[in-house]
Structures are given as C-alpha cells and as structure tokens.
Amino acid sequence: MSFKNKVVYQIYPKSFYDSNNDGIGDLKGITKKLKYLNFLGIDYIWITPFFVSPQRDNGYDVADYYNIDPLYGTMEDLDELILEASKYGIKLMLDMVFNHTSTEHIWFKQAIQGNKKYQNYYFFKKSIDNKLPTNWVSKFGGNTWEYCKELDMYYLHLFDKTQADLNWENPEVRKEMTKIVNFWINKGIEGFRFDVVNLISKPQIFKDDFIGDGRRFYTDGPNIHSYLKELNKNSFGKLKNIVTVGEMSSTTIENCYKYSGEKENELSMVFSFHHLKIDYKNKNKWELQEADFEELKEILNTWQLGMQKNNAWNALFWCNHDQPRIVSRLGDDKIYWKKSAKMLATMIHCLRGTPYIYQGEEIGMTNTYFETINDFKDIESLNYYDIFLKEGKSPEEALKIIQERSRDNGRTPMQWNNKNFGGFSNIIPWINPIKNFKQINVENQINDCDSILHYYKKLIQLRKNYLPISEGEFIPVITEKDIYIYKRKYNSEEILVILNYKNKKEITLPKEEIEKNYSCILSNNNIIKLTSKLTLEPFDTFVFYKK
Ligand code: TEU
Ligand code: CA
C-alpha cells in the first residue's frame, strides 16, 4: 500500500485563510498557503465540505454535490488549487457527505412537492397513533424525526433537521453517490473522506429503542459492507492512486477490520473515536470527567493490535473540526504547553496507521475559552446550550460544559501571525479568533527550531525515513501508570517510544532492551542515552532507534 508513509493535513476552509477579506476562509486562501504546507511536509490535504450548502452545519448539509459554494470560491479556484498543490506533490482529499443531504437539495425539494421517485431517496414515515415513528435521539439533540406538513409525514434526520437521511436501500441513491465520486475523480481528486459512512445502512423495520438512543439500529447497519463494496467497485476501487477514509461513528473494531481490511475492497482506512471518549462520563460527551490516561493506553493498544492482526489500517488523530484541542484536553496549555503538545504529537505519529494533523494542531492551538455563549456558532453547541437551560442548569454551568466540549474549539481562525485577527483576515472573521494568537502563531514558530511546528515537521520526516514507523509491527510494552511505552519493529530495525504523562516518574527498563544499543532520534527534552533507570519529567518524550 502506497499510503503507509503519508501524512494528511485537514483543512476547515472557513477558518483557514481568508484571501478576499470577507471574514470567511476560502479555496484561494488554501492555494496561498501551499508553500507553508509544503514546508511542513504533508502529502494530502483533506478539505471539509465546500459544496453548495445553506451552511446550517458549515457545509455538512450539502445542497449540490457538483458545485462549489460561492462563499469558498469557484470551480476555477479549485482547479487552480489542484494544479498548484500537484507542483508540491500534494494531493487533495474531498469530504463526501453521503448519509444525508440538506433539505435544500433538489431531491428533497422534489420529494416534498410530491415526487414519488425522490420521496424514495429519503425516509418518510406516517405517524401511527399520534406517535413519532421512533423515539431515537438526534446527534444534535431532540428527536430524529421532523414533521413535513406538505406530505403529512415525518422524515428521518440523525443530525440537524435540515440534514435529511438518504435511503441507501434504494439502488438509485447508490447510483447517484457513485456518480458523484466519479465526477470528482475525473476532476483530478485523489482522496476521499466519507462522512459518518457507517450510519448509511438503516434497518428494514424502524422501532423504538428502550435501552439507548437508537444508534444500535443504524450504526454499522445490516447492509453497510455490501454498500461500501459496491461503491468501491463502481468508483475508486479500480484506481490504485486513490486513498479513502471512512468516518466511523460509535463503530466496533470487528466492523473496522472489514471497512479497511486489505483484501476487503471497502476503504483504505478508518477513523474511530473510542480513544477520544476517555474524558466522557458515562460515555456522554456532555458530562465532564478528567481524562483517564490508562484507559487511553488500553484503547490504543487494542486498536493497534487488532487492526494489525487483521491487516486493517487506522487513521490516527487527536484533533478535527468536531473535537476540542488536544493540548487543552490531554496536555497542559499553560506551564507545559510546548512540551505536552510535542508529547501528544509523538504518541500519535509513531503508531501504526496514517496520521492526520488538523489545522493549528501543529502550532499547539488551544481551546477557545470564549466567555459568552454569543461567541459560539456551532449548531450542536447552541442546541445543547438550550437543552441544558431547559433541563434546569444555570447559564454558568451550561457555558462551562460548552466551553469544554464545543466543536467550535476546533473551528476558530488559524493563527498565522500576531497582527489583527491572527493574520487570518483583515476584517472581523465569522467566528472570533482566540485571544492567545499574539503568542501562538505560525510566524513565531517558523523560525524557531525548538517550536511545536518544527517538531511536527520532524515527526513527518521520521515516518518517511524510518520503515519501522511507516510499516513496522506495533508492540506494546507493559508499564506502570502514566507511562506509555511501545515499540515498532521492521525486520531487525526497531523504534522505541517512551512517553510520560503529567507527573515526574522513575522507570526501570528491561535489561535486554538496554543492551540493544538504541540511539535517541527525537525528544522534547534532551537527547539522552538509554539506561535501565530513567527519571522522567512531566510530558517527557523520547524516540529511540536501533538498526
Ligand atoms: O461528524 C459526525 C459525528 O459523529 C459528530 O458530529 C458527532 O456526532 C458530534 O461531534 C457529537 O458530539 C460528522 C462531521 O465531522 C460533522 O462535522 C458533521 O456535523 C456530522 O458528521 C454530520 O454531517
Ligand atoms: Ca473569503
């Protein structure tokens, strides 16, 4: 597989760089920053949806899959971006939102005007005995069924009520989706990320869920693998150069063996989220809890070993446009800001899989710390804020949860320099920048070899220079609390990664490891010689190598 030594950089175009000073980032803005991305050394850019959309969910509500929203630019801008990126050997990965369309999509509009063909593109159900078709809970709060007065029926929406779920049981829908992928392949696109793709297969019969929120009925649903195999066969599967990644919401590892198994002909790799729920109390995002580092180690080890054994492939990541910033979440964005950001980066980048860097992560961008609810823009945050107030929480309590968990933590403008709005735009951006842009920005770090930015650059290079990192076997090394150690082995070559969490610790390493004559190739402290007894300071990180 050709993608094993590649690194993907994720761009949320709305917040990356605003080339025409209207407060909204755009495609030309990405083209302008290619030189920077080339400096960093990444191979692919995943761009979140820029298709025509009413932007209720910032583009994840697509109204036209074949055209670009004027907010972001034109088709010529995209052609230019593809061409300019190719000069640096950088490829584009587009974001296909195939579980649902916007209710502004022509298919949905036709459906509610009475067109039977298009009604069968979605799930419309009558209410029986004045009850909603099911009691399922939407991912953005509230019930998953919305009333449509034109048809006197309810339609299904797992996300916002303006995001109507598509009926993949219908072969016509599957053909439409294939056609869209092929259209973008013909435009020169060489990568695809499929949004919540493990939710597309709904059950034959819709029934109430009395023990959960309904997800068990549609997650990794009954026909999911055959739909993916069909899509693969009729579009990207024929082409060797295309990389695909599926976003798998609440999935199981067994399903992921299939989604990304080498011989399964579904996708190249998968995003799973279990490792990012270690600070959810009762698995509920909205209940705050201190992160559990031991649980994190266990989840990472399970997924590394399981996927490896089954020739399946992980997409590795901490951050994206739906997640709080990792340095604020698992690291320490005050005293150990730089050091903890480097430790967390190492942890992910040396694992078996393909690392994804989310814009701003490479300079240690933090959570927003917005002080009023008016600063938040995300539909999920705003919905839940209202729900919290209705449940009887005080505005302060509600704000505290939103501050910590809001998807807007990952959506503030990229911090390019210490000028107005962090150099993102000349005018007030669609969402406020974080106040710390004067200290945390690209310009400050680009000439500083000790910066987080340079450290990410080094990690990317390590993946290219060391086969154990890109191709090697993953071997966990059992250790005490708060220390994470693992090895990567490729023939006789080995990489040994030693990571310390928050506290000072003394560790003892096995004699046979010490005798192997490792040399330290990367650290966030000082390059050291490996000895059997090591004293580790908070967030200490060492990567060793032996031939
Ligand atoms: O995200 C799917 C998803 O599972 C998250 O939105 C999750 O439900 C949320 O963070 C719960 O707290 C994808 C996209 O990445 C996201 O931006 C979209 O809003 C969503 O799908 C719908 O298309
Ligand atoms: Ca703009």
Side-chain angles (χ1 to χ4, degrees):
M1 264 180 285
S2 58
F3 53 82
K4 291 193 170 169
N5 63 358
K6 304 288 188 278
V7 177
V8 186
Y9 187 88
Q10 184 196 346
I11 291 182
Y12 198 65
K14 207 167 215 170
S15 305
F16 190 62
Y17 184 60
D18 177 17
S19 73
N20 61 348
N21 294 307
D22 61 357
I24 296 170
D26 42 58
L27 292 176
K28 270 195 185 318
I30 303 177
T31 308
K32 289 215 158 115
K33 296 295 183 184
L34 282 169
K35 224 177 118 187
Y36 167 72
L37 298 174
N38 181 55
F39 158 83
L40 189 57
I42 54 98
D43 305 281
Y44 285 86
I45 311 172
W46 151 26
I47 312 177
T48 64
F50 47 68
F51 312 105
V52 175
S53 158
Q55 303 289 327
R56 280 273 301 183
D57 187 20
N58 284 350
Y60 283 92
D61 44 337
V62 180
D64 176 356
Y65 292 96
Y66 296 98
N67 283 294
I68 291 169
D69 198 297
L71 270 184
Y72 298 116
T74 62
M75 197 59 95
E76 287 68 48
D77 294 343
L78 181 68
D79 289 335
E80 191 194 6
L81 172 57
I82 298 173
L83 179 72
E84 293 305 313
S86 76
K87 294 182 184 163
Y88 293 109
I90 295 176
K91 297 172 177 192
L92 300 197
M93 181 182 265
L94 299 198
D95 203 326
M96 302 282 108
V97 189
F98 284 178
N99 176 67
H100 43 264
T101 74
S102 163
T103 49
E104 297 289 304
H105 196 288
I106 184 78
W107 301 335
F108 192 85
K109 287 192 183 163
Q110 300 259 12
I112 63 171
Q113 281 162 21
N115 185 319
K116 288 273 181 301
K117 170 179 152 102
Y118 289 112
Q119 279 170 20
N120 199 25
Y121 272 40
Y122 299 91
F123 295 98
F124 285 98
K125 299 264 183 231
K126 284 263 180 235
S127 114
I128 302 167
D129 306 332
N130 271 331
K131 268 179 54 202
L132 292 170
T134 66
N135 66 352
W136 301 353
V137 183
S138 152
K139 307 260 184 197
F140 292 167
N143 187 275
T144 54
W145 296 93
E146 181 69 14
Y147 184 63
C148 163
K149 62 176 185 312
E150 290 85 348
L151 302 177
D152 187 28
M153 282 198 274
Y154 291 83
Y155 64 87
L156 178 71
H157 63 91
L158 297 183
F159 292 87
D160 185 55
K161 63 173 187 283
T162 63
Q163 293 166 303
D165 278 57
L166 283 164
N167 175 12
W168 277 68
E169 289 290 291
N170 179 353
E172 296 285 320
V173 168
R174 305 205 295 273
K175 265 195 210 132
E176 299 273 13
M177 298 298 130
T178 307
K179 204 171 119 195
I180 295 163
V181 174
N182 285 329
F183 171 85
W184 290 108
I185 289 176
N186 289 333
K187 291 239 38 137
I189 298 301
E190 295 186 69
F192 295 95
R193 178 253 189 197
F194 294 96
D195 189 57
V196 288
V197 75
N198 67 325
L199 310 185
I200 58 176
S201 174
K202 309 299 192 281
Q204 283 291 338
I205 300 163
F206 287 80
K207 50 185 181 192
D208 282 341
D209 191 349
F210 296 111
I211 56 170
D213 60 6
R215 73 180 67 192
R216 67 197 172 103
F217 295 126
Y218 57 75
T219 303
D220 305 316
N223 295 318
I224 183 65
H225 296 290
S226 79
Y227 293 161
L228 287 175
K229 285 183 164 66
E230 181 183 313
L231 182 67
N232 172 304
K233 180 163 154 259
N234 296 330
S235 61
F236 53 83
K238 288 172 285 203
L239 306 159
K240 290 270 164 294
N241 59 325
I242 296 197
V243 169
T244 54
V245 54
E247 187 203 24
M248 304 304 175
S249 171
S250 300
T251 188
T252 65
I253 195 166
E254 290 79 16
N255 274 293
C256 288
Y257 299 157
K258 283 202 173 174
Y259 292 138
S260 68
E262 237 167 44
K263 301 221 165 68
E264 294 288 341
N265 296 321
E266 294 188 19
L267 303 169
S268 317
M269 62 186 112
V270 287
F271 286 115
S272 65
F273 293 87
H274 301 277
H275 68 297
L276 291 176
K277 296 186 178 171
I278 51 154
D279 53 6
Y280 292 6
K281 197 166 164 188
N282 307 319
K283 299 239 155 101
N284 178 351
K285 165 170 174 172
W286 307 108
E287 288 185 46
L288 307 182
Q289 163 182 294
E290 183 75 13
D292 183 340
F293 194 71
E294 298 316 293
E295 194 190 347
L296 174 66
K297 282 157 58 179
E298 207 177 293
I299 294 170
L300 290 178
N301 288 347
T302 304
W303 279 76
Q304 286 287 300
L305 292 169
M307 296 291 272
Q308 164 168 292
K309 195 163 169 212
N310 290 278
N311 293 316
W313 198 250
N314 283 302
L316 308 165
F317 74 108
W318 285 130
C319 301
N320 68 28
H321 62 292
D322 296 332
Q323 298 290 332
R325 293 291 185 173
I326 203 62
V327 69
S328 302
R329 191 172 177 183
L330 280 182
D332 170 347
D333 63 11
K334 314 251 157 17
I335 314 172
Y336 291 106
W337 166 70
K338 195 196 273 192
K339 214 176 160 191
S340 65
K342 291 178 179 177
M343 186 281 260
L344 292 163
T346 314
M347 191 159 166
I348 280 291
H349 278 253
C350 293
L351 290 174
R352 177 180 177 277
T354 299
Y356 284 65
I357 300 168
Y358 179 60
Q359 64 183 49
E361 178 186 336
E362 76 280 18
I363 54 167
M365 275 178 66
T366 66
N367 277 352
T368 65
Y369 300 104
F370 284 159
E371 280 155 22
T372 82
I373 191 66
N374 300 328
D375 283 338
F376 289 90
K377 305 290 173 211
D378 177 27
I379 185 168
E380 184 195 54
S381 304
L382 301 175
N383 283 352
Y384 273 98
Y385 183 79
D386 287 343
I387 291 172
F388 297 151
L389 295 188
K390 282 198 194 104
E391 283 172 359
K393 291 198 167 64
S394 70
E396 294 73 33
E397 283 172 301
L399 181 65
K400 184 169 185 286
I401 302 172
I402 298 297
Q403 278 171 333
E404 200 159 312
R405 293 290 146 94
S406 175
R407 304 195 297 179
D408 284 336
N409 282 315
R411 298 179 179 186
T412 60
M414 177 71 182
Q415 298 173 187
W416 294 104
N417 57 41
N418 61 11
K419 306 210 180 66
N420 264 350
F421 316 115
F424 163 77
S425 177
N426 282 345
I427 69 155
I428 299 180
W430 70 277
I431 187 168
N432 280 334
I434 307 174
K435 285 185 186 145
N436 60 26
F437 70 78
K438 291 221 152 79
Q439 297 82 48
I440 302 177
N441 62 59
V442 170
E443 205 175 86
N444 273 351
Q445 295 188 29
I446 211 147
N447 297 317
D448 171 7
C449 289
D450 186 46
S451 62
I452 299 171
L453 177 60
H454 276 262
Y455 194 90
Y456 268 86
K457 187 176 160 71
K458 282 178 204 153
L459 281 171
I460 296 168
Q461 283 318 309
L462 286 192
R463 176 161 290 265
K464 309 210 173 297
N465 296 340
Y466 291 89
L467 278 165
I469 297 184
S470 54
E471 308 262 349
E473 184 193 352
F474 170 85
I475 305 165
V477 177
I478 307 299
T479 47
E480 55 207 281
K481 196 167 171 294
D482 283 354
I483 308 285
Y484 190 36
I485 306 185
Y486 61 83
K487 295 204 288 185
R488 303 291 312 285
K489 197 169 169 7
Y490 186 82
N491 297 332
S492 68
E493 291 179 76
E494 279 182 40
I495 290 278
L496 174 71
V497 182
I498 300 182
L499 308 160
N500 182 21
Y501 196 39
K502 285 180 181 163
N503 303 308
K504 188 169 173 161
K505 280 256 172 178
E506 306 252 331
I507 59 164
T508 312
L509 290 162
K511 194 159 161 271
E512 72 257 29
E513 293 299 332
I514 308 305
E515 284 166 357
K516 279 182 184 163
N517 220 353
Y518 280 103
S519 52
C520 187
I521 54 172
L522 187 69
S523 170
N524 63 359
N525 191 344
N526 294 312
I527 299 286
I528 57 161
K529 200 177 147 23
L530 194 61
T531 49
S532 65
K533 287 220 184 313
L534 285 180
T535 306
L536 300 176
E537 299 297 328
F539 300 108
D540 257 2
T541 300
F542 302 101
V543 181
F544 295 95
Y545 169 72
K546 85 158 190 73
K547 264 213 179 57

